[in-house]
Amino acid sequence: MAITITFGIQKGGCGKSTTAGILSYLLHQDGFRVLSIDMDSQGNLTELLSAQPSNEFIGKSVLEAMQQTDVKTYLQPISKQWNLLPANNFLATFARWIYTGKTYQGDHVPFNGNPSLILDELLNQVRDDYDFIIIDTPPSLSEQTTNALCASEYVAVMFECSNWCYSAVPNFMSSIESANSFGSRDTKMIGILRTMNDVRRSDAKAFNELIAEDYPDDVFKTIITRKAPVGRLSLYGFTDNAELKAGLDQYNHFYKELISRVQDQRD
């Protein structure tokens, strides 16, 4: 049965989509069966992995999969044993559909059930088909985020070294605890990844040290710094990218740490 990991924090610009995409790629390269899920209406993970505009998936996305309670119809192949459940801007209508039954297409598809467990129950259709399910989330504590958390065994908290992100961490921790209480996956934090680090800024160094002092057992040793090849990954992708090795180098260290923690949790 698949191990499900969500990447999240209710702040934008923290590297959630990039990290979810890179982790999916590294897992696939290691021979694991991977499902990547985009729960952010911006569709950045969708565009990173598919190399297509997210609007190409209108009518073929995670939103329709949840509304029709049919995940397999909406899976998009990225490579052998690697699929994507894409998103586009209409995912922003998810909450309206839950509470009114009205879809963005104007249809009436009433929902009855727990609004926080829609994704979790949907994924039961395919959990045995994958080794890992990786979920990207929006920069808000929304219904999309709640569903992602409740569908996951593990949550990696993204920490961009700034004051606003530092203040966002406690609220996000509370959301993980709520998912643990109300969901059925025993959701827990697997660690805090310090990312988007600017080595030229003393305040960035200070916030990296501060979060490590507050959560000494939770921060990963790896700190992801800002590098041009990572920033250009959205342009060049994972295929025929001359900068790929340089872009993935520091993420390989994080990948090994993450897998080690998951294995320790499951032993």
Side-chain angles (χ1 to χ4, degrees):
M1 181 174 288
I3 297 167
T4 306
I5 305 173
T6 281
F7 291 85
I9 190 71
Q10 73 275 24
K11 182 186 177 299
C14 297
K16 294 183 291 295
S17 301
T18 299
T19 305
I22 290 175
L23 185 70
S24 297
Y25 174 82
L26 293 174
L27 287 165
H28 174 256
Q29 289 295 106
D30 266 357
F32 292 108
R33 300 169 298 164
V34 181
L35 172 60
S36 304
I37 301 176
D38 195 344
M39 287 295 284
D40 184 358
S41 60
Q42 296 179 97
N44 293 153
L45 180 66
T46 296
E47 296 187 349
L48 174 61
L49 299 186
S50 71
Q52 299 181 63
S54 61
N55 281 346
E56 291 294 317
F57 298 98
I58 291 175
K60 300 179 290 185
S61 74
V62 63
L63 177 61
E64 288 80 18
M66 291 187 289
Q67 290 171 342
Q68 302 300 324
T69 62
D70 174 13
V71 63
K72 293 185 179 181
T73 297
Y74 298 95
L75 296 176
Q76 305 293 327
I78 300 301
S79 186
K80 185 179 180 181
Q81 296 191 322
W82 183 11
N83 290 330
L84 167 68
L85 196 53
N88 55 65
N89 61 328
F90 285 111
L91 184 55
T93 68
F94 180 50
R96 185 185 70 174
W97 166 68
I98 291 174
Y99 302 117
T100 70
K102 186 176 181 180
T103 73
Y104 70 91
Q105 296 168 319
D107 299 325
H108 189 66
V109 182
F111 170 73
N112 295 299
N114 188 324
S116 297
L117 300 181
I118 300 170
L119 182 64
D120 182 39
E121 293 173 356
L122 180 72
L123 292 180
N124 287 335
Q125 299 174 14
V126 295
R127 289 188 192 275
D128 290 334
D129 298 338
Y130 298 97
D131 300 305
F132 285 90
I133 298 174
I134 304 301
I135 307 178
D136 184 28
T137 56
S140 62
L141 295 176
S142 61
E143 283 80 1
Q144 292 100 298
T145 299
T146 301
N147 268 267
L149 295 178
C150 288
S152 302
E153 287 83 33
Y154 304 111
V155 180
V157 179
M158 306 298 294
F159 179 74
E160 179 257 340
C161 42
S162 71
N163 186 46
W164 285 345
C165 195
Y166 180 75
S167 64
V169 169
N171 286 338
F172 194 70
M173 296 292 196
S174 296
S175 297
I176 297 172
E177 292 172 4
S178 296
N180 179 277
S181 298
F182 298 114
S184 60
R185 295 285 156 195
D186 192 27
T187 305
K188 57 176 67 72
M189 179 182 63
I190 195 66
I192 300 171
L193 177 62
R194 292 168 287 180
T195 186
M196 310 293 286
N197 181 50
D198 189 336
V199 296
R200 299 167 298 179
R201 293 178 52 176
S202 59
D203 60 321
K205 181 176 183 292
F207 277 110
N208 280 333
E209 293 173 349
L210 186 59
I211 200 73
E213 292 173 3
D214 290 350
Y215 304 95
D217 298 326
D218 298 316
V219 293
F220 291 100
K221 293 179 181 178
T222 304
I223 300 176
I224 304 297
T225 60
R226 293 179 182 270
K227 289 189 176 181
V230 177
R232 288 193 287 263
L233 191 61
S234 62
L235 291 174
Y236 302 139
F238 294 100
T239 304
D240 299 325
N241 181 351
E243 299 180 328
L244 186 60
K245 186 177 184 299
L248 298 184
D249 182 54
Q250 55 187 335
Y251 283 94
N252 275 302
H253 298 293
F254 164 62
Y255 171 64
K256 292 174 183 177
E257 279 194 84
L258 178 65
I259 295 302
S260 176
R261 289 193 184 191
V262 169
Q263 290 173 340
D264 289 344
Q265 290 275 352
R266 300 179 78 82
D267 287 342

